[in-house]
Amino acid sequence: MLKGRVNEYTEQTKEGTQYRRRVLKDFSKLLDDEIEKIVLFMIEQQGLIAARLEDLGKRRARLQDIPLLQEITELREDYRSVGLDLVTLLKFVELNANAVRKILKKFDERLGYKFTDYYVRSRSNHPYSQLQQGIGAVVGALSRNLSDLEERQGSYLNIYDQHPLAIPKLLTTIIDLVISELLKKDPIIDLITATADKLTNSTNFLRFLGQHALIAQADSTAGTEDEQHVGEDKYHLMSLVLNLANTFLYMVNTYIVVPTADGYATSLGAAATACGAVIGSMAVAQVFSSVYFSAWSNRSYFRPLLFSSVVLLLGNVMYAMAFDLGSLTILLLGRVLCGMGSARAVNRRYISDCVPPRIRMQASAAFVSASALGMACGPALAGLLQTNFSLYGLTINQITLPGWIMAFGWLVYLIWLWISFQEPDLGPDAKNFYEGSSSSTSTRYMEQEKMEQGFTEHLLPSEQDEEDDNGDEEHNETLSSSTTTLRPASSVASAYTLLTPSVKVQLLIYFMLKYAMEILLAESSVVTGYYFGWDIGTVSVFLAVLGLSVLPVNAIVGTYISNMFEDRQILVASEMALLAGVMLSFKLTVEYTAAQYVCSAVLTFVSAEVVEGVNLSLLSRVMSARLSRGTYNGGLLSTEAGTVARVVADGTITAAGLLAGEGRLLNATLLPALLVCVASIAATLSTYNSLFY
């Protein structure tokens, strides 16, 4: 009904028969009425569940004096039945929360309004916030009673009165084992907790880490058995490992030159600050390679990975030989060639399309972990390559060895890829599927939308039956438009039209954090050498430690912080911390100490990592579903935003070095980072309410 009304508004607005204020007021009232139905139904069902729990409590009380094993077992099963009904109710709430978000997004897209911001802002509380306490009480009652019944069935030890410290030491180990068995949660409680956590956007480390990859995930709690086994025929473990190895090697390749880039530039007669151009030339090429690799993966995975390996092998050979050739041009061309081999789009698409839903989250987390470890291993490896000798007329030293090491690594990978990779069967309609032009794909999208819209059938049978008569007519009227709406973006222009203000702000934030990180990392060797006299080994250790902080920081945020605060709250707080880190990095006094630099660098880097995790988590939720597939997908957009940020940052370092010199390089490069941080915080606050869902 609401979708049909939005279509009416769209037509009436075109004809000039509806005024803006009247449309907003009318739609607000309709949406309020629908949300009221949801809330009242939720309260009603919660009351029924509470009444059942009360009856079960009376039965449980009667068993206190005469505990009968069979009756305890039956009572436990009845508690589990209540738990399953609670899970169904929580799924109902989640479904309707998504429905509200989707209809608000559709309203904004069709009419060009920013109604979502207004609607959320004008209703300070979430529609279901008043129910959270009741849900928690129901879950607590179920958990406590099931635990008590398990205890009474297996043993009469009271787990609340006894404590290992009050028992003789010889029995402590035995009692620990008994208590651990008694404290095991019933599976139904785990299911309720998982569903409630999903409803309130609570997450764990694996899910939080996996969201960094912006890879479409399957709903593990829904879907048929066939849907849960999609991709099993395409899945090949060694091929997945090869994709992750490609990700790891590429990140090592990116950052292995950072500690020595300034020394390489000076050895070829350029300024030390030309390290920005050396490092950034790889990112320049990646801006273009991401697009053609994403398009190429529509048809194949093996061939783009093969091409990537060959190009990176040649690029690293050119990078290493530039020293003996005495050519800065060869050096830069080698790095450009390395950037042309960036196959991260292929790695993402392989996980999204060829890894079964049951392990896709683990694969996504592995993708992010491989990137993080590569980022740490690159500088660490550079610090170990302290040698200098000649071999067949080629100079092997600390600035050329990174090229030779990576060339050898890509050669080994190329052989491994050729032997072990298994090309998945994409079928003859692969291109049409990803570009969204096949009729079978359109039908699949329509079936998916129909399934989403019809999920409430078992919860609201009477209302559903009343709407069935009108459903077919609306389905026929919207068939063609829905097919177009759900089709993946087929061009840059069509992808851009799908970028709502919230998505644009999240991409700006991603640009900001990558810009700040690249400034910090790329100029680290120049800044630390100029102010503190650090050698390559010290810089390498420093950068490796920063890189290794990625996983523990994400573990803390994903396991604890994200369960205590909303993502948007964490986003604003971490942006503020990042701004503080950038401000602390400025050289404002005569003496600039290593302690100040290290503290500011750690604060900047860690804050940027937190921002990245929350940013990509929010981006995956506010982004249109049409950007989850196809060539121009959300992963490509975020990759392009981050790559452009790196290009701009490296260009800033080179330009600032030429214009201001090494003595003013630090402040000259931090000033743009400061301005971008302030702009991103302002943009975040301007769309803060639209990040609610």
Side-chain angles (χ1 to χ4, degrees):
M1 182 271 291
L2 288 173
K3 187 167 65 174
R5 189 60 64 90
V6 170
N7 292 336
E8 291 178 12
Y9 292 150
T10 304
E11 295 299 323
Q12 292 171 352
T13 303
K14 291 179 180 178
E15 297 172 0
T17 57
Q18 278 277 28
Y19 295 103
R20 174 189 176 95
R21 188 175 184 83
R22 180 181 172 185
V23 168
L24 295 177
K25 183 177 180 180
D26 187 28
F27 190 70
S28 295
K29 185 179 183 304
L30 288 173
L31 194 55
D32 286 339
D33 291 342
E34 295 304 312
I35 291 177
E36 183 178 293
K37 292 179 185 178
I38 299 168
V39 173
L40 291 177
F41 177 80
M42 176 68 177
I43 294 174
E44 177 188 12
Q45 297 301 314
Q46 185 179 319
L48 295 175
I49 291 176
R52 292 169 61 188
L53 282 175
E54 184 179 5
D55 291 339
L56 293 175
K58 294 177 181 178
R59 289 172 54 189
R60 177 174 170 272
R62 289 195 295 268
L63 294 174
Q64 291 288 344
D65 298 329
I66 308 177
L68 301 176
L69 183 60
Q70 182 177 356
E71 293 188 17
I72 289 176
T73 302
E74 293 176 356
L75 186 59
R76 185 179 61 188
E77 292 304 316
D78 289 340
Y79 270 114
R80 285 175 174 168
S81 177
V82 174
L84 288 173
D85 288 342
L86 179 59
V87 169
T88 304
L89 187 59
L90 290 172
K91 289 182 178 179
F92 167 80
V93 176
E94 180 193 8
L95 178 72
N96 281 280
N98 287 333
V100 172
R101 175 181 57 81
K102 289 181 178 180
I103 196 63
L104 286 169
K105 182 184 292 186
K106 186 179 293 292
F107 186 89
D108 287 347
E109 290 176 350
R110 293 285 181 86
L111 280 80
Y113 296 161
K114 294 183 179 180
F115 179 69
T116 301
D117 291 353
Y118 157 76
Y119 191 82
V120 176
R121 185 173 61 250
S122 60
R123 290 146 181 82
S124 57
N125 292 323
H126 191 284
Y128 317 114
S129 61
Q130 66 267 34
L131 304 176
Q132 293 297 327
Q133 183 177 358
I135 293 174
V138 173
V139 174
L142 284 169
S143 180
R144 180 175 58 83
N145 285 291
L146 281 171
S147 176
D148 181 68
L149 291 171
E150 291 283 357
E151 170 195 335
R152 296 179 62 192
Q153 186 179 32
S155 170
Y156 289 95
L157 176 66
N158 189 326
I159 62 175
Y160 300 105
D161 295 337
Q162 299 293 336
H163 191 279
L165 294 179
I167 299 173
K169 293 182 179 179
L170 292 177
L171 299 178
T172 299
T173 303
I174 299 175
I175 298 301
D176 280 341
L177 293 175
V178 174
I179 290 178
S180 66
E181 288 299 315
L182 293 175
L183 285 174
K184 282 184 177 178
K185 289 184 178 179
D186 193 280
I188 188 61
I189 299 299
D190 291 334
L191 182 58
I192 294 172
T193 303
T195 308
D197 282 349
K198 184 178 180 184
L199 174 64
T200 56
N201 291 328
S202 182
T203 186
N204 55 30
F205 173 47
L206 183 64
R207 182 175 297 276
F208 182 80
L209 193 63
Q211 287 173 332
H212 284 56
L214 266 187
I215 294 171
Q217 300 297 331
D219 186 355
S220 60
T221 63
T224 65
E225 184 176 352
D226 290 339
E227 290 166 345
Q228 289 299 313
H229 288 82
V230 169
E232 293 284 357
D233 56 333
K234 300 179 182 178
Y235 176 59
H236 183 239
L237 177 59
M238 186 55 67
S239 299
L240 174 60
V241 172
L242 282 163
N243 267 276
L244 297 176
N246 183 280
T247 298
F248 173 78
L249 283 176
Y250 185 79
M251 294 304 293
V252 172
N253 208 151
T254 300
Y255 289 99
I256 194 173
V257 304
V258 171
T260 58
D262 58 331
Y264 208 157
T266 54
S267 69
L268 297 178
T273 53
C275 64
V278 174
I279 298 170
S281 54
M282 191 171 178
V284 171
Q286 190 179 348
V287 172
F288 304 98
S289 65
S290 297
V291 178
Y292 67 71
F293 270 113
S294 182
W296 201 349
S297 61
N298 291 333
R299 301 176 179 84
S300 172
Y301 295 101
F302 175 69
R303 287 191 292 272
L305 287 176
L306 187 67
F307 175 79
S308 167
S309 306
V310 173
V311 169
L312 281 158
L313 172 61
L314 296 176
N316 281 288
V317 169
M318 290 180 63
Y319 179 86
M321 293 185 65
F323 183 84
D324 291 308
L325 296 175
S327 174
L328 182 63
T329 303
I330 298 296
L331 177 67
L332 295 176
L333 287 177
R335 288 290 289 178
V336 168
L337 206 56
C338 289
M340 297 300 289
S342 172
R344 288 174 66 81
V346 180
N347 305 142
R348 277 193 175 99
R349 286 286 291 275
Y350 185 87
I351 295 174
S352 177
D353 298 337
C354 301
V355 174
R358 60 183 173 83
I359 60 169
R360 193 175 300 159
M361 180 59 71
Q362 292 92 323
S364 300
F367 173 83
V368 177
S369 300
S371 299
L373 291 175
M375 182 180 180
C377 288
L381 186 59
L384 298 175
L385 305 178
Q386 305 294 320
T387 186
N388 191 356
F389 63 93
S390 295
L391 181 66
Y392 298 109
L394 298 175
T395 302
I396 310 296
N397 58 23
Q398 59 188 7
I399 59 178
T400 63
L401 257 179
W404 293 120
I405 291 292
M406 292 312 305
F408 177 76
W410 285 112
L411 177 61
V412 173
Y413 177 82
L414 182 61
I415 298 172
W416 183 21
L417 180 74
W418 187 272
I419 296 173
S420 303
F421 190 85
Q422 179 177 304
E423 180 78 277
D425 182 15
L426 300 180
D429 294 329
K431 179 180 184 298
N432 288 334
F433 173 79
Y434 289 113
E435 295 300 330
S437 59
S438 70
S439 59
S440 61
T441 301
S442 302
T443 303
R444 184 180 304 179
Y445 279 123
M446 287 303 301
E447 289 175 350
Q448 180 181 358
E449 184 184 43
K450 183 178 179 181
M451 180 184 69
E452 291 175 352
Q453 293 174 346
F455 237 129
T456 57
E457 181 177 358
H458 300 293
L459 284 168
L460 298 172
S462 59
E463 292 185 20
Q464 185 66 36
D465 292 339
E466 293 174 2
E467 294 175 358
D468 280 345
D469 295 336
N470 299 326
D472 292 338
E473 181 180 354
E474 180 183 354
H475 177 78
N476 292 332
E477 291 176 352
T478 60
L479 178 61
S480 60
S481 62
S482 297
T483 301
T484 303
T485 302
L486 293 171
R487 186 174 296 168
S490 57
S491 65
V492 175
S494 62
Y496 184 80
T497 60
L498 299 175
L499 302 183
T500 62
S502 298
V503 176
K504 292 177 181 177
V505 168
Q506 294 307 305
L507 290 176
L508 171 63
I509 294 171
Y510 195 70
F511 175 93
M512 177 273 296
L513 69 93
K514 288 298 182 182
Y515 182 89
M517 290 177 67
E518 188 70 9
I519 288 290
L520 169 64
L521 298 176
E523 69 178 15
S524 58
S525 58
V526 179
V527 171
T528 56
Y530 180 82
Y531 288 108
F532 319 125
W534 286 6
D535 57 14
I536 293 175
T538 307
V539 176
S540 299
V541 171
F542 170 69
L543 295 178
V545 170
L546 284 182
L548 288 174
S549 69
V550 172
L551 294 179
V553 168
N554 282 311
I556 294 172
V557 176
T559 306
Y560 302 106
I561 297 179
S562 63
N563 291 327
M564 299 167 61
F565 303 97
E566 295 179 23
D567 281 352
R568 58 178 182 172
Q569 295 173 329
I570 302 174
L571 180 64
V572 174
S574 53
E575 283 183 284
M576 294 291 189
L578 178 56
L579 177 62
V582 172
M583 294 176 65
L584 184 61
S585 300
F586 277 89
K587 181 184 181 301
L588 301 177
T589 60
V590 176
E591 184 180 3
Y592 191 67
T593 63
Q596 178 184 349
Y597 177 79
V598 171
C599 290
S600 62
V602 170
L603 180 59
T604 300
F605 191 84
V606 170
S607 301
E609 282 300 323
V610 177
V611 171
E612 181 174 4
V614 182
N615 166 250
L616 292 180
S617 174
L618 286 169
L619 183 59
S620 65
R621 281 180 287 180
V622 301
M623 193 166 51
S624 169
R626 292 178 61 189
L627 293 174
S628 64
R629 288 289 188 271
T631 300
Y632 303 94
N633 53 70
L636 176 64
L637 294 178
S638 63
T639 298
E640 292 293 89
T643 305
V644 170
R646 291 174 52 207
V647 171
V648 175
D650 293 324
T652 301
I653 293 172
T654 301
L658 293 175
L659 298 176
E662 291 186 35
R664 299 180 180 179
L665 174 67
L666 183 64
N667 288 350
T669 53
L670 288 176
L671 182 59
L674 179 67
L675 297 177
V676 176
C677 286
V678 172
S680 70
I681 293 174
T684 303
L685 295 177
S686 69
T687 58
Y688 186 76
N689 291 311
S690 65
L691 302 178
F692 193 89
Y693 292 105

